[in-house]
Amino acid sequence: MSEARRTGERGIAEGVLALVGGTLVDGTGRDPVQESVVVVEGSVIREAGERAQVGIPAEATIIDVSGMTVMPGMIDCHVHISITTMDVDQRLRTRKTVELFQTAEMMKRTLDAGFTTVRDAGTLKDVGFRQAVEMGLVEGPRLVVAGALVPTGGHFDVYYPRGVELPFFGGERCDGVPEVRKAARRALRQGFDCIKICTTGGSVYPGDSREYTEWTVEEVQTIVEEASARGKAVMAHASNAQGIKNALLGGVWSVEHGSVLDDESIQMFLDRGTYLVPTLLPGQVLYEGGEGIAQAGVSHAQMKARRLASIENFKLAVDAGLKIAVGTDALGEKTHGINARELELMTSYGFTSMEAIVAATKTASEVCCLDAKVGTLEPGKLADLLVVGGDPLEDISILQDKSRLSLILKEGSIHANTLAR
Ligand SMILES: [Zn+2]
């Protein structure tokens, strides 16, 4: 393979590539390695470490990345990739076919932003987009697709008083242990990577409220039991204290939002090793007047209060040492592609830059149950990798600047590359 193909074009990377001289931030949380070498062979990382200790294979194409940072591709554990607006009128006017193209565009934006894996939180109707990405039909991050289960009248059961249903989450309606067991089995049969449930309501449609608790603990346990039998995780949206505890009692893998922590739930997180995906971004974007993600029946004053509460809540989680991963709840056109802002928000409220990077790499890979394959730059892992102009440990916000993402590799395949230009 010619140097030009290797460094100046996009396409499938073949052969061996050596990124030489950059600062390695490998995603494990270890101290950065100055003057590093990362060797990529095909789709896999062969070696990563100090220049003195890593042999550069004779056949390698060498790329000088001095002054730059080499880090894992980022992972967003909570997106709604097919949702481009929450506006009911706009949703009604959008043909389903158009929505597919919009989804493809949101996926490309997300990968352009340096996110090489995302977990869709119950929005996609099936795993077809994951397959389309794998087939190379659509450019996008690796998808982990959650199949949603929905109790009647729940957060995902989008219903208007006129009698109109407007589902924009995937998911099957089911109630009671026998039904949820069957629905979970059906979702798993369809090939979903994990299951999404909501143990509280939210603010999606008029009859929805985060004060409502959804599912019994028994129902949650049943879903977890079925998912676990297939080695799959359950993620639970939970925005009130009781719903968070019900999710934890039910044995879910990760709690999403987890907006109202208290001593009891914090202890439960610690005892069970459950992950928290706090999703700070939507509150911030709403607060700044973001259109298209405005939520039903929520006043500006409420939004403001919620944002502050979720910040305080995040601080509690950080102080308690919970396992925290990056998730943005990206669900409007304006939030897809700005995923890296979540890392900056985390550093504003208690995380170091390194902790935010680990939350978007290693910890996020654990939440997605992909830690054997991605999340860190270590030998044998898939080559999901970014070369960033500058030092994100110094200034985490540079990860939001796409012009600094000089190289984006996904599984060794070059998605973006300006290094040779
Ligand atoms: Zn969500």
Side-chain angles (χ1 to χ4, degrees):
M1 177 181 285
S2 72
E3 176 89 1
R5 166 126 175 86
R6 189 75 229 203
T7 62
E9 296 172 22
R10 285 159 44 171
I12 302 300
E14 291 163 17
V16 184
L17 176 69
L19 302 168
V20 176
T23 300
L24 172 64
V25 176
D26 67 7
T28 63
R30 282 194 286 261
D31 286 343
V33 177
Q34 313 295 333
E35 282 291 309
S36 69
V37 173
V38 176
V39 179
V40 174
E41 186 172 354
S43 61
V44 173
I45 293 159
R46 190 199 272 186
E47 282 196 82
E50 285 176 41
R51 190 171 192 163
Q53 282 163 11
V54 174
I56 300 175
E59 71 274 27
T61 300
I62 293 172
I63 299 182
D64 179 12
V65 293
S66 309
M68 300 177 139
T69 301
V70 184
M71 63 177 276
M74 292 182 281
I75 299 169
D76 188 330
C77 298
H78 193 130
V79 302
H80 298 286
I81 200 73
S82 60
I83 299 180
T84 53
T85 182
M86 298 285 279
D87 183 83
V88 175
D89 188 57
Q90 209 178 323
R91 290 190 55 220
L92 286 168
R93 289 166 189 272
T94 306
R95 290 183 170 80
K96 288 181 179 174
T97 332
V98 171
E99 188 179 274
L100 296 177
F101 286 99
Q102 287 175 328
T103 304
E105 169 60 21
M106 297 309 117
M107 297 220 300
K108 182 174 181 305
R109 265 190 214 181
T110 306
L111 183 54
D112 286 343
F115 283 76
T116 47
T117 301
V118 299
R119 184 173 62 157
D120 184 81
T123 336
L124 296 171
K125 313 284 184 283
D126 61 37
V127 297
F129 267 99
R130 181 189 75 198
Q131 198 179 1
V133 170
E134 288 165 0
M135 291 168 76
L137 296 172
V138 179
E139 272 188 299
R142 176 181 300 97
L143 274 174
V144 176
V145 185
L149 301 184
V150 190
T152 302
H155 177 48
F156 275 8
D157 191 15
V158 181
Y159 176 85
Y160 292 87
R162 180 81 182 197
V164 175
E165 291 179 1
L166 192 54
F168 60 137
F169 302 103
E172 182 169 347
R173 199 156 41 196
C174 51
D175 300 284
V177 167
E179 276 186 32
V180 301
R181 192 181 295 286
K182 195 162 189 174
R185 288 177 180 173
R186 268 199 292 260
L188 294 161
R189 182 178 69 176
Q190 277 200 62
F192 283 108
D193 301 298
C194 54
I195 303 246
K196 167 76 184 285
I197 58 171
C198 303
T199 55
T200 73
S203 316
V204 163
Y205 63 96
D208 189 21
S209 165
R210 55 161 60 188
E211 302 308 322
Y212 299 163
T213 302
E214 299 177 12
W215 300 113
T216 63
V217 173
E218 213 186 350
E219 286 170 324
V220 177
Q221 280 167 338
T222 303
I223 295 164
V224 169
E225 188 179 301
E226 291 300 326
S228 304
R230 301 271 186 122
K232 306 275 163 96
V234 176
M235 62 189 295
H237 154 115
S239 298
N240 70 43
Q242 189 58 51
I244 292 169
K245 286 169 199 170
N246 288 353
L248 290 159
L249 284 170
V252 303
W253 184 246
S254 63
V255 170
E256 316 292 308
H257 322 308
S259 331
V260 191
L261 297 174
D262 57 27
D263 290 344
E264 192 187 353
S265 57
I266 284 174
Q267 196 54 50
M268 289 166 78
F269 270 98
L270 294 170
D271 291 345
R272 288 150 207 264
T274 312
Y275 292 91
L276 174 68
V277 181
T279 66
L280 299 169
L281 183 70
Q284 184 66 29
V285 173
L286 278 168
Y287 174 70
E288 290 166 3
E291 298 149 29
I293 67 164
Q295 302 190 327
V298 184
S299 68
H300 191 72
Q302 278 173 311
M303 275 167 6
K304 224 167 141 179
R306 282 185 187 181
R307 172 178 161 271
L308 292 177
S310 70
I311 289 168
E312 289 313 310
N313 200 65
F314 177 72
K315 289 177 180 169
L316 278 179
V318 173
D319 288 345
L322 301 194
K323 296 194 288 187
I324 297 172
V326 161
T328 57
D329 210 6
L331 45 59
E333 208 188 344
K334 291 199 170 146
T335 49
H336 295 293
I338 62 164
N339 315 60
R341 192 150 180 223
E342 184 78 12
L343 282 75
E344 185 187 3
L345 291 169
M346 285 176 157
T347 62
S348 302
Y349 307 121
F351 260 4
T352 64
S353 296
M354 183 62 98
E355 286 169 332
I357 288 174
V358 172
T361 55
K362 180 177 187 286
T363 312
S365 74
E366 293 164 7
V367 170
C368 293
C369 301
L370 285 175
D371 49 307
K373 291 183 177 171
V374 297
T376 58
L377 298 184
E378 295 177 293
K381 293 277 177 87
L382 293 175
D384 283 11
L385 170 159
L386 309 176
V387 174
V388 184
D391 181 4
L393 294 175
E394 191 71 34
D395 178 3
I396 196 79
S397 74
I398 67 171
L399 293 173
Q400 295 163 53
D401 179 356
K402 290 175 191 70
S403 71
R404 287 176 179 265
L405 301 178
S406 304
L407 180 68
I408 301 173
L409 285 188
K410 194 186 96 188
E411 220 164 307
S413 173
I414 297 172
H415 173 69
N417 176 26
T418 56
L419 286 172
R421 286 175 203 156

